[in-house]
mmCIF file of all heavy atoms in Angstrom:
data_model
loop_
_atom_site.group_PDB
_atom_site.id
_atom_site.type_symbol
_atom_site.label_atom_id
_atom_site.label_comp_id
_atom_site.label_asym_id
_atom_site.label_seq_id
_atom_site.Cartn_x
_atom_site.Cartn_y
_atom_site.Cartn_z
ATOM 1 N N GLN A 1 -34.495 -38.302 -37.711
ATOM 2 C CA GLN A 1 -35.774 -38.730 -37.095
ATOM 3 C C GLN A 1 -36.526 -39.774 -37.989
ATOM 4 O O GLN A 1 -36.992 -40.819 -37.492
ATOM 5 C CB GLN A 1 -36.778 -37.500 -36.979
ATOM 6 C CG GLN A 1 -36.337 -36.671 -35.861
ATOM 7 C CD GLN A 1 -37.260 -35.449 -35.643
ATOM 8 O OE1 GLN A 1 -37.794 -34.911 -36.661
ATOM 9 N NE2 GLN A 1 -37.570 -35.066 -34.516
ATOM 10 N N GLU A 2 -36.607 -39.550 -39.372
ATOM 11 C CA GLU A 2 -37.114 -40.499 -40.156
ATOM 12 C C GLU A 2 -36.456 -41.904 -40.149
ATOM 13 O O GLU A 2 -37.081 -42.938 -40.090
ATOM 14 C CB GLU A 2 -37.096 -39.850 -41.707
ATOM 15 C CG GLU A 2 -37.911 -38.766 -41.947
ATOM 16 C CD GLU A 2 -37.617 -38.086 -43.260
ATOM 17 O OE1 GLU A 2 -36.763 -38.747 -44.109
ATOM 18 O OE2 GLU A 2 -38.223 -37.082 -43.511
ATOM 19 N N VAL A 3 -35.104 -41.811 -40.146
ATOM 20 C CA VAL A 3 -34.348 -43.045 -40.094
ATOM 21 C C VAL A 3 -34.562 -43.765 -38.793
ATOM 22 O O VAL A 3 -34.804 -45.053 -38.827
ATOM 23 C CB VAL A 3 -32.812 -42.802 -40.278
ATOM 24 C CG1 VAL A 3 -31.961 -44.013 -39.892
ATOM 25 C CG2 VAL A 3 -32.422 -42.272 -41.645
ATOM 26 N N TYR A 4 -34.688 -43.050 -37.692
ATOM 27 C CA TYR A 4 -35.004 -43.648 -36.307
ATOM 28 C C TYR A 4 -36.337 -44.410 -36.436
ATOM 29 O O TYR A 4 -36.400 -45.541 -36.085
ATOM 30 C CB TYR A 4 -34.971 -42.516 -35.306
ATOM 31 C CG TYR A 4 -35.500 -43.181 -33.957
ATOM 32 C CD1 TYR A 4 -34.756 -43.924 -33.244
ATOM 33 C CD2 TYR A 4 -36.812 -42.882 -33.612
ATOM 34 C CE1 TYR A 4 -35.270 -44.439 -31.988
ATOM 35 C CE2 TYR A 4 -37.345 -43.338 -32.429
ATOM 36 C CZ TYR A 4 -36.636 -44.077 -31.626
ATOM 37 O OH TYR A 4 -37.101 -44.702 -30.515
ATOM 38 N N LEU A 5 -37.254 -43.680 -36.955
ATOM 39 C CA LEU A 5 -38.614 -44.257 -37.053
ATOM 40 C C LEU A 5 -38.587 -45.536 -38.013
ATOM 41 O O LEU A 5 -39.277 -46.563 -37.575
ATOM 42 C CB LEU A 5 -39.702 -43.248 -37.573
ATOM 43 C CG LEU A 5 -39.979 -42.115 -36.582
ATOM 44 C CD1 LEU A 5 -40.967 -41.094 -37.262
ATOM 45 C CD2 LEU A 5 -40.620 -42.729 -35.316
ATOM 46 N N GLU A 6 -37.969 -45.446 -39.045
ATOM 47 C CA GLU A 6 -37.965 -46.611 -40.029
ATOM 48 C C GLU A 6 -37.279 -47.858 -39.425
ATOM 49 O O GLU A 6 -37.712 -48.874 -39.521
ATOM 50 C CB GLU A 6 -37.264 -46.229 -41.335
ATOM 51 C CG GLU A 6 -37.924 -45.246 -42.217
ATOM 52 C CD GLU A 6 -37.004 -44.613 -43.353
ATOM 53 O OE1 GLU A 6 -35.840 -45.035 -43.506
ATOM 54 O OE2 GLU A 6 -37.386 -43.672 -43.921
ATOM 55 N N GLN A 7 -36.117 -47.523 -38.671
ATOM 56 C CA GLN A 7 -35.315 -48.644 -38.207
ATOM 57 C C GLN A 7 -35.759 -49.095 -36.887
ATOM 58 O O GLN A 7 -35.546 -50.342 -36.583
ATOM 59 C CB GLN A 7 -33.865 -48.235 -38.226
ATOM 60 C CG GLN A 7 -33.345 -47.964 -39.610
ATOM 61 C CD GLN A 7 -31.775 -47.608 -39.578
ATOM 62 O OE1 GLN A 7 -31.201 -47.439 -38.517
ATOM 63 N NE2 GLN A 7 -31.191 -47.399 -40.709
ATOM 64 N N THR A 8 -36.238 -48.276 -36.101
ATOM 65 C CA THR A 8 -36.352 -48.569 -34.734
ATOM 66 C C THR A 8 -37.684 -49.196 -34.392
ATOM 67 O O THR A 8 -38.023 -50.054 -33.568
ATOM 68 C CB THR A 8 -36.104 -47.519 -33.772
ATOM 69 O OG1 THR A 8 -34.792 -46.975 -34.065
ATOM 70 C CG2 THR A 8 -36.120 -47.863 -32.328
ATOM 71 N N GLU A 9 -38.768 -48.584 -35.074
ATOM 72 C CA GLU A 9 -40.147 -49.075 -34.809
ATOM 73 C C GLU A 9 -40.353 -50.623 -34.927
ATOM 74 O O GLU A 9 -40.979 -51.121 -34.084
ATOM 75 C CB GLU A 9 -41.180 -48.333 -35.761
ATOM 76 C CG GLU A 9 -42.611 -48.434 -35.315
ATOM 77 C CD GLU A 9 -42.945 -47.968 -33.828
ATOM 78 O OE1 GLU A 9 -42.321 -46.930 -33.541
ATOM 79 O OE2 GLU A 9 -43.620 -48.627 -33.210
ATOM 80 N N PRO A 10 -39.715 -51.303 -35.872
ATOM 81 C CA PRO A 10 -39.878 -52.780 -35.969
ATOM 82 C C PRO A 10 -39.307 -53.426 -34.715
ATOM 83 O O PRO A 10 -39.881 -54.450 -34.280
ATOM 84 C CB PRO A 10 -39.152 -53.160 -37.244
ATOM 85 C CG PRO A 10 -39.171 -51.997 -38.014
ATOM 86 C CD PRO A 10 -39.040 -50.651 -37.143
ATOM 87 N N LEU A 11 -38.219 -52.835 -34.185
ATOM 88 C CA LEU A 11 -37.683 -53.397 -33.033
ATOM 89 C C LEU A 11 -38.500 -53.248 -31.778
ATOM 90 O O LEU A 11 -38.718 -54.262 -30.974
ATOM 91 C CB LEU A 11 -36.189 -52.663 -32.691
ATOM 92 C CG LEU A 11 -35.290 -52.677 -33.876
ATOM 93 C CD1 LEU A 11 -33.981 -52.137 -33.391
ATOM 94 C CD2 LEU A 11 -34.940 -54.066 -34.550
ATOM 95 N N ILE A 12 -39.085 -52.075 -31.618
ATOM 96 C CA ILE A 12 -39.975 -51.845 -30.517
ATOM 97 C C ILE A 12 -41.219 -52.807 -30.614
ATOM 98 O O ILE A 12 -41.654 -53.329 -29.545
ATOM 99 C CB ILE A 12 -40.456 -50.291 -30.485
ATOM 100 C CG1 ILE A 12 -39.237 -49.389 -30.202
ATOM 101 C CG2 ILE A 12 -41.531 -50.165 -29.447
ATOM 102 C CD1 ILE A 12 -39.525 -47.932 -30.336
ATOM 103 N N GLY A 13 -41.664 -52.997 -31.848
ATOM 104 C CA GLY A 13 -42.745 -53.945 -32.059
ATOM 105 C C GLY A 13 -42.400 -55.401 -31.526
ATOM 106 O O GLY A 13 -43.246 -56.045 -30.879
ATOM 107 N N VAL A 14 -41.224 -55.823 -31.716
ATOM 108 C CA VAL A 14 -40.752 -57.147 -31.275
ATOM 109 C C VAL A 14 -40.897 -57.171 -29.692
ATOM 110 O O VAL A 14 -41.440 -58.045 -29.119
ATOM 111 C CB VAL A 14 -39.410 -57.524 -31.712
ATOM 112 C CG1 VAL A 14 -38.772 -58.776 -31.033
ATOM 113 C CG2 VAL A 14 -39.297 -57.756 -33.270
ATOM 114 N N TYR A 15 -40.303 -56.191 -29.054
ATOM 115 C CA TYR A 15 -40.334 -56.131 -27.724
ATOM 116 C C TYR A 15 -41.739 -55.953 -27.058
ATOM 117 O O TYR A 15 -42.085 -56.380 -25.991
ATOM 118 C CB TYR A 15 -39.361 -55.056 -27.086
ATOM 119 C CG TYR A 15 -37.878 -55.429 -27.418
ATOM 120 C CD1 TYR A 15 -37.070 -54.681 -28.161
ATOM 121 C CD2 TYR A 15 -37.446 -56.646 -26.872
ATOM 122 C CE1 TYR A 15 -35.828 -55.040 -28.358
ATOM 123 C CE2 TYR A 15 -36.122 -57.111 -27.021
ATOM 124 C CZ TYR A 15 -35.294 -56.204 -27.911
ATOM 125 O OH TYR A 15 -34.061 -56.573 -28.139
ATOM 126 N N ARG A 16 -42.572 -55.249 -27.826
ATOM 127 C CA ARG A 16 -43.968 -54.958 -27.476
ATOM 128 C C ARG A 16 -44.664 -56.307 -27.433
ATOM 129 O O ARG A 16 -45.397 -56.570 -26.423
ATOM 130 C CB ARG A 16 -44.629 -54.032 -28.440
ATOM 131 C CG ARG A 16 -45.893 -53.406 -27.865
ATOM 132 C CD ARG A 16 -46.521 -52.405 -28.836
ATOM 133 N NE ARG A 16 -45.899 -51.098 -28.520
ATOM 134 C CZ ARG A 16 -45.218 -50.360 -29.386
ATOM 135 N NH1 ARG A 16 -45.161 -50.712 -30.672
ATOM 136 N NH2 ARG A 16 -44.647 -49.170 -29.075
ATOM 137 N N GLU A 17 -44.364 -57.199 -28.367
ATOM 138 C CA GLU A 17 -44.947 -58.515 -28.334
ATOM 139 C C GLU A 17 -44.649 -59.308 -27.043
ATOM 140 O O GLU A 17 -45.325 -60.240 -26.585
ATOM 141 C CB GLU A 17 -44.509 -59.380 -29.577
ATOM 142 C CG GLU A 17 -45.094 -58.897 -30.826
ATOM 143 C CD GLU A 17 -44.544 -59.572 -32.041
ATOM 144 O OE1 GLU A 17 -43.801 -60.614 -31.932
ATOM 145 O OE2 GLU A 17 -44.861 -59.099 -33.231
ATOM 146 N N HIS A 18 -43.412 -59.050 -26.502
ATOM 147 C CA HIS A 18 -42.920 -59.660 -25.292
ATOM 148 C C HIS A 18 -43.577 -59.041 -23.980
ATOM 149 O O HIS A 18 -43.301 -59.468 -22.867
ATOM 150 C CB HIS A 18 -41.422 -59.654 -25.212
ATOM 151 C CG HIS A 18 -40.746 -60.551 -26.251
ATOM 152 N ND1 HIS A 18 -40.584 -60.156 -27.440
ATOM 153 C CD2 HIS A 18 -40.123 -61.728 -26.093
ATOM 154 C CE1 HIS A 18 -39.948 -61.132 -28.135
ATOM 155 N NE2 HIS A 18 -39.744 -62.124 -27.170
ATOM 156 N N GLY A 19 -44.237 -57.900 -24.228
ATOM 157 C CA GLY A 19 -44.883 -57.237 -23.061
ATOM 158 C C GLY A 19 -43.953 -56.500 -22.143
ATOM 159 O O GLY A 19 -44.188 -56.349 -21.061
ATOM 160 N N ILE A 20 -42.745 -56.025 -22.694
ATOM 161 C CA ILE A 20 -41.859 -55.384 -21.847
ATOM 162 C C ILE A 20 -41.510 -53.970 -22.150
ATOM 163 O O ILE A 20 -40.606 -53.265 -21.726
ATOM 164 C CB ILE A 20 -40.563 -56.159 -21.833
ATOM 165 C CG1 ILE A 20 -39.807 -56.281 -23.095
ATOM 166 C CG2 ILE A 20 -40.658 -57.571 -21.102
ATOM 167 C CD1 ILE A 20 -38.454 -56.960 -23.133
ATOM 168 N N VAL A 21 -42.369 -53.376 -23.103
ATOM 169 C CA VAL A 21 -42.170 -52.001 -23.532
ATOM 170 C C VAL A 21 -42.911 -50.978 -22.656
ATOM 171 O O VAL A 21 -44.124 -51.203 -22.346
ATOM 172 C CB VAL A 21 -42.634 -51.801 -24.994
ATOM 173 C CG1 VAL A 21 -42.655 -50.282 -25.423
ATOM 174 C CG2 VAL A 21 -41.669 -52.590 -26.004
ATOM 175 N N PHE A 22 -42.182 -49.984 -22.216
ATOM 176 C CA PHE A 22 -42.796 -48.904 -21.418
ATOM 177 C C PHE A 22 -42.555 -47.587 -22.198
ATOM 178 O O PHE A 22 -41.428 -47.172 -22.174
ATOM 179 C CB PHE A 22 -42.197 -48.768 -20.011
ATOM 180 C CG PHE A 22 -42.494 -49.963 -19.214
ATOM 181 C CD1 PHE A 22 -41.670 -51.269 -19.325
ATOM 182 C CD2 PHE A 22 -43.554 -50.090 -18.330
ATOM 183 C CE1 PHE A 22 -41.909 -52.355 -18.529
ATOM 184 C CE2 PHE A 22 -43.916 -51.231 -17.670
ATOM 185 C CZ PHE A 22 -43.068 -52.306 -17.753
ATOM 186 N N GLU A 23 -43.571 -47.015 -22.800
ATOM 187 C CA GLU A 23 -43.546 -45.812 -23.406
ATOM 188 C C GLU A 23 -43.622 -44.614 -22.453
ATOM 189 O O GLU A 23 -44.582 -44.602 -21.737
ATOM 190 C CB GLU A 23 -44.542 -45.560 -24.544
ATOM 191 C CG GLU A 23 -44.209 -46.625 -25.676
ATOM 192 C CD GLU A 23 -45.062 -46.345 -26.896
ATOM 193 O OE1 GLU A 23 -45.215 -45.018 -27.243
ATOM 194 O OE2 GLU A 23 -45.394 -47.276 -27.602
ATOM 195 N N ILE A 24 -42.626 -43.716 -22.391
ATOM 196 C CA ILE A 24 -42.543 -42.682 -21.383
ATOM 197 C C ILE A 24 -42.591 -41.360 -22.139
ATOM 198 O O ILE A 24 -41.863 -41.156 -23.138
ATOM 199 C CB ILE A 24 -41.240 -42.779 -20.574
ATOM 200 C CG1 ILE A 24 -41.100 -44.153 -20.025
ATOM 201 C CG2 ILE A 24 -41.181 -41.659 -19.589
ATOM 202 C CD1 ILE A 24 -42.100 -44.579 -19.004
ATOM 203 N N ASP A 25 -43.459 -40.510 -21.688
ATOM 204 C CA ASP A 25 -43.443 -39.173 -22.253
ATOM 205 C C ASP A 25 -42.173 -38.390 -21.809
ATOM 206 O O ASP A 25 -41.916 -38.249 -20.724
ATOM 207 C CB ASP A 25 -44.695 -38.364 -21.601
ATOM 208 C CG ASP A 25 -44.850 -36.921 -22.040
ATOM 209 O OD1 ASP A 25 -44.029 -36.501 -22.917
ATOM 210 O OD2 ASP A 25 -45.751 -36.218 -21.655
ATOM 211 N N GLY A 26 -41.400 -38.119 -22.951
ATOM 212 C CA GLY A 26 -40.117 -37.468 -22.735
ATOM 213 C C GLY A 26 -40.075 -35.932 -22.728
ATOM 214 O O GLY A 26 -39.050 -35.259 -22.730
ATOM 215 N N MET A 27 -41.429 -35.403 -22.705
ATOM 216 C CA MET A 27 -41.417 -33.914 -22.793
ATOM 217 C C MET A 27 -41.456 -33.424 -21.440
ATOM 218 O O MET A 27 -41.764 -34.044 -20.442
ATOM 219 C CB MET A 27 -42.785 -33.585 -23.449
ATOM 220 C CG MET A 27 -43.024 -34.048 -24.814
ATOM 221 S SD MET A 27 -42.057 -33.122 -26.015
ATOM 222 C CE MET A 27 -43.023 -31.640 -26.128
ATOM 223 N N GLY A 28 -40.909 -32.108 -21.231
ATOM 224 C CA GLY A 28 -40.921 -31.433 -19.953
ATOM 225 C C GLY A 28 -39.589 -31.492 -19.300
ATOM 226 O O GLY A 28 -38.483 -31.699 -19.960
ATOM 227 N N GLU A 29 -39.438 -31.184 -18.012
ATOM 228 C CA GLU A 29 -38.346 -31.050 -17.283
ATOM 229 C C GLU A 29 -37.724 -32.482 -17.129
ATOM 230 O O GLU A 29 -38.210 -33.444 -16.990
ATOM 231 C CB GLU A 29 -38.553 -30.476 -15.876
ATOM 232 C CG GLU A 29 -39.097 -29.118 -15.906
ATOM 233 C CD GLU A 29 -38.105 -28.124 -16.486
ATOM 234 O OE1 GLU A 29 -36.908 -28.195 -16.197
ATOM 235 O OE2 GLU A 29 -38.521 -27.149 -17.270
ATOM 236 N N VAL A 30 -36.295 -32.352 -17.148
ATOM 237 C CA VAL A 30 -35.523 -33.702 -17.023
ATOM 238 C C VAL A 30 -35.969 -34.495 -15.812
ATOM 239 O O VAL A 30 -36.152 -35.651 -15.955
ATOM 240 C CB VAL A 30 -34.013 -33.383 -17.093
ATOM 241 C CG1 VAL A 30 -33.214 -34.704 -16.707
ATOM 242 C CG2 VAL A 30 -33.568 -32.691 -18.307
ATOM 243 N N ASP A 31 -36.053 -33.801 -14.659
ATOM 244 C CA ASP A 31 -36.487 -34.531 -13.384
ATOM 245 C C ASP A 31 -37.869 -35.139 -13.527
ATOM 246 O O ASP A 31 -38.089 -36.310 -12.969
ATOM 247 C CB ASP A 31 -36.451 -33.575 -12.243
ATOM 248 C CG ASP A 31 -34.998 -33.165 -11.874
ATOM 249 O OD1 ASP A 31 -34.002 -33.893 -12.256
ATOM 250 O OD2 ASP A 31 -34.942 -32.195 -11.048
ATOM 251 N N ASP A 32 -38.786 -34.485 -14.218
ATOM 252 C CA ASP A 32 -40.046 -35.133 -14.333
ATOM 253 C C ASP A 32 -40.011 -36.305 -15.179
ATOM 254 O O ASP A 32 -40.763 -37.313 -14.971
ATOM 255 C CB ASP A 32 -41.045 -34.072 -14.915
ATOM 256 C CG ASP A 32 -41.255 -32.851 -14.042
ATOM 257 O OD1 ASP A 32 -41.148 -32.990 -12.836
ATOM 258 O OD2 ASP A 32 -41.583 -31.894 -14.500
ATOM 259 N N VAL A 33 -39.258 -36.329 -16.339
ATOM 260 C CA VAL A 33 -39.143 -37.444 -17.146
ATOM 261 C C VAL A 33 -38.595 -38.556 -16.366
ATOM 262 O O VAL A 33 -39.017 -39.780 -16.519
ATOM 263 C CB VAL A 33 -38.285 -37.139 -18.428
ATOM 264 C CG1 VAL A 33 -38.095 -38.378 -19.270
ATOM 265 C CG2 VAL A 33 -38.920 -36.035 -19.246
ATOM 266 N N THR A 34 -37.439 -38.392 -15.593
ATOM 267 C CA THR A 34 -36.795 -39.421 -14.791
ATOM 268 C C THR A 34 -37.907 -39.964 -13.826
ATOM 269 O O THR A 34 -37.940 -41.199 -13.716
ATOM 270 C CB THR A 34 -35.664 -38.783 -13.953
ATOM 271 O OG1 THR A 34 -34.821 -38.189 -14.937
ATOM 272 C CG2 THR A 34 -34.985 -39.911 -13.178
ATOM 273 N N LYS A 35 -38.689 -39.161 -13.135
ATOM 274 C CA LYS A 35 -39.664 -39.707 -12.259
ATOM 275 C C LYS A 35 -40.678 -40.532 -13.027
ATOM 276 O O LYS A 35 -41.016 -41.659 -12.494
ATOM 277 C CB LYS A 35 -40.429 -38.466 -11.579
ATOM 278 C CG LYS A 35 -41.462 -38.928 -10.635
ATOM 279 C CD LYS A 35 -42.126 -37.674 -10.031
ATOM 280 C CE LYS A 35 -43.164 -38.140 -9.044
ATOM 281 N NZ LYS A 35 -44.136 -37.121 -8.676
ATOM 282 N N ARG A 36 -41.080 -40.190 -14.180
ATOM 283 C CA ARG A 36 -42.091 -41.014 -14.957
ATOM 284 C C ARG A 36 -41.433 -42.366 -15.237
ATOM 285 O O ARG A 36 -42.109 -43.427 -15.245
ATOM 286 C CB ARG A 36 -42.533 -40.381 -16.191
ATOM 287 C CG ARG A 36 -43.467 -39.197 -15.965
ATOM 288 C CD ARG A 36 -44.046 -38.687 -17.184
ATOM 289 N NE ARG A 36 -43.270 -37.884 -18.063
ATOM 290 C CZ ARG A 36 -43.061 -36.536 -18.043
ATOM 291 N NH1 ARG A 36 -43.729 -35.838 -17.231
ATOM 292 N NH2 ARG A 36 -42.326 -35.914 -18.978
ATOM 293 N N ILE A 37 -40.145 -42.432 -15.621
ATOM 294 C CA ILE A 37 -39.405 -43.698 -15.952
ATOM 295 C C ILE A 37 -39.461 -44.530 -14.705
ATOM 296 O O ILE A 37 -39.818 -45.812 -14.816
ATOM 297 C CB ILE A 37 -37.985 -43.395 -16.458
ATOM 298 C CG1 ILE A 37 -38.060 -42.731 -17.803
ATOM 299 C CG2 ILE A 37 -37.200 -44.661 -16.494
ATOM 300 C CD1 ILE A 37 -36.717 -42.160 -18.313
ATOM 301 N N PHE A 38 -39.003 -44.023 -13.549
ATOM 302 C CA PHE A 38 -39.009 -44.888 -12.359
ATOM 303 C C PHE A 38 -40.252 -45.456 -11.942
ATOM 304 O O PHE A 38 -40.490 -46.426 -11.422
ATOM 305 C CB PHE A 38 -38.276 -44.185 -11.233
ATOM 306 C CG PHE A 38 -36.686 -44.257 -11.489
ATOM 307 C CD1 PHE A 38 -35.953 -43.133 -11.690
ATOM 308 C CD2 PHE A 38 -36.059 -45.518 -11.372
ATOM 309 C CE1 PHE A 38 -34.594 -43.153 -11.968
ATOM 310 C CE2 PHE A 38 -34.673 -45.629 -11.657
ATOM 311 C CZ PHE A 38 -34.044 -44.432 -11.906
ATOM 312 N N GLU A 39 -41.380 -44.606 -12.091
ATOM 313 C CA GLU A 39 -42.669 -45.016 -11.756
ATOM 314 C C GLU A 39 -43.019 -46.186 -12.635
ATOM 315 O O GLU A 39 -43.630 -47.206 -12.259
ATOM 316 C CB GLU A 39 -43.733 -43.842 -11.996
ATOM 317 C CG GLU A 39 -43.564 -42.874 -10.822
ATOM 318 C CD GLU A 39 -44.444 -41.567 -11.124
ATOM 319 O OE1 GLU A 39 -45.038 -41.435 -12.164
ATOM 320 O OE2 GLU A 39 -44.535 -40.763 -10.165
ATOM 321 N N ALA A 40 -42.693 -46.119 -13.905
ATOM 322 C CA ALA A 40 -43.044 -47.292 -14.753
ATOM 323 C C ALA A 40 -42.174 -48.433 -14.456
ATOM 324 O O ALA A 40 -42.760 -49.607 -14.488
ATOM 325 C CB ALA A 40 -42.681 -46.867 -16.329
ATOM 326 N N LEU A 41 -40.912 -48.302 -14.129
ATOM 327 C CA LEU A 41 -40.048 -49.390 -13.833
ATOM 328 C C LEU A 41 -40.402 -50.083 -12.526
ATOM 329 O O LEU A 41 -40.063 -51.238 -12.244
ATOM 330 C CB LEU A 41 -38.561 -49.061 -13.877
ATOM 331 C CG LEU A 41 -37.990 -48.588 -15.251
ATOM 332 C CD1 LEU A 41 -36.634 -48.177 -15.114
ATOM 333 C CD2 LEU A 41 -38.262 -49.684 -16.273
ATOM 334 N N ASP A 42 -41.046 -49.343 -11.589
ATOM 335 C CA ASP A 42 -41.451 -49.990 -10.310
ATOM 336 C C ASP A 42 -42.294 -51.261 -10.467
ATOM 337 O O ASP A 42 -42.284 -52.072 -9.555
ATOM 338 C CB ASP A 42 -42.188 -48.918 -9.527
ATOM 339 C CG ASP A 42 -41.254 -47.952 -8.793
ATOM 340 O OD1 ASP A 42 -40.115 -48.256 -8.667
ATOM 341 O OD2 ASP A 42 -41.757 -46.934 -8.281
ATOM 342 N N VAL A 43 -42.984 -51.427 -11.539
ATOM 343 C CA VAL A 43 -43.852 -52.490 -11.744
ATOM 344 C C VAL A 43 -43.147 -53.616 -12.554
ATOM 345 O O VAL A 43 -43.733 -54.785 -12.625
ATOM 346 C CB VAL A 43 -45.185 -52.220 -12.470
ATOM 347 C CG1 VAL A 43 -45.984 -51.134 -11.643
ATOM 348 C CG2 VAL A 43 -44.903 -51.800 -13.950
ATOM 349 N N VAL A 44 -41.887 -53.611 -12.820
ATOM 350 C CA VAL A 44 -41.220 -54.493 -13.577
ATOM 351 C C VAL A 44 -40.592 -55.580 -12.674
ATOM 352 O O VAL A 44 -39.850 -55.272 -11.752
ATOM 353 C CB VAL A 44 -40.041 -53.883 -14.478
ATOM 354 C CG1 VAL A 44 -39.172 -54.932 -15.014
ATOM 355 C CG2 VAL A 44 -40.557 -52.870 -15.394
ATOM 356 N N PRO A 45 -41.040 -56.881 -12.782
ATOM 357 C CA PRO A 45 -40.415 -57.898 -12.078
ATOM 358 C C PRO A 45 -38.909 -58.107 -12.529
ATOM 359 O O PRO A 45 -38.670 -58.029 -13.701
ATOM 360 C CB PRO A 45 -41.205 -59.157 -12.340
ATOM 361 C CG PRO A 45 -41.865 -58.868 -13.570
ATOM 362 C CD PRO A 45 -41.910 -57.365 -13.704
ATOM 363 N N GLN A 46 -37.996 -58.227 -11.625
ATOM 364 C CA GLN A 46 -36.603 -58.291 -12.072
ATOM 365 C C GLN A 46 -36.224 -59.732 -12.140
ATOM 366 O O GLN A 46 -36.555 -60.591 -11.320
ATOM 367 C CB GLN A 46 -35.732 -57.528 -11.012
ATOM 368 C CG GLN A 46 -35.978 -56.130 -11.036
ATOM 369 C CD GLN A 46 -35.075 -55.264 -10.151
ATOM 370 O OE1 GLN A 46 -34.096 -55.793 -9.555
ATOM 371 N NE2 GLN A 46 -35.345 -54.046 -9.989
ATOM 372 N N SER A 47 -35.472 -59.964 -13.218
ATOM 373 C CA SER A 47 -34.949 -61.383 -13.432
ATOM 374 C C SER A 47 -33.844 -61.776 -12.582
ATOM 375 O O SER A 47 -33.134 -60.991 -12.014
ATOM 376 C CB SER A 47 -34.637 -61.569 -14.880
ATOM 377 O OG SER A 47 -33.650 -60.790 -15.323
#
């Protein structure tokens, strides 16, 4: 977990600057998490 935070947070920061990061609550039932992801992705314009 420590390594993930150390190595990945800077990468997320780069993408956050591009305005394309969607933080999703990964707690709870698998289906609920999936639903939250698709709700977030619904607003994403596709290239």
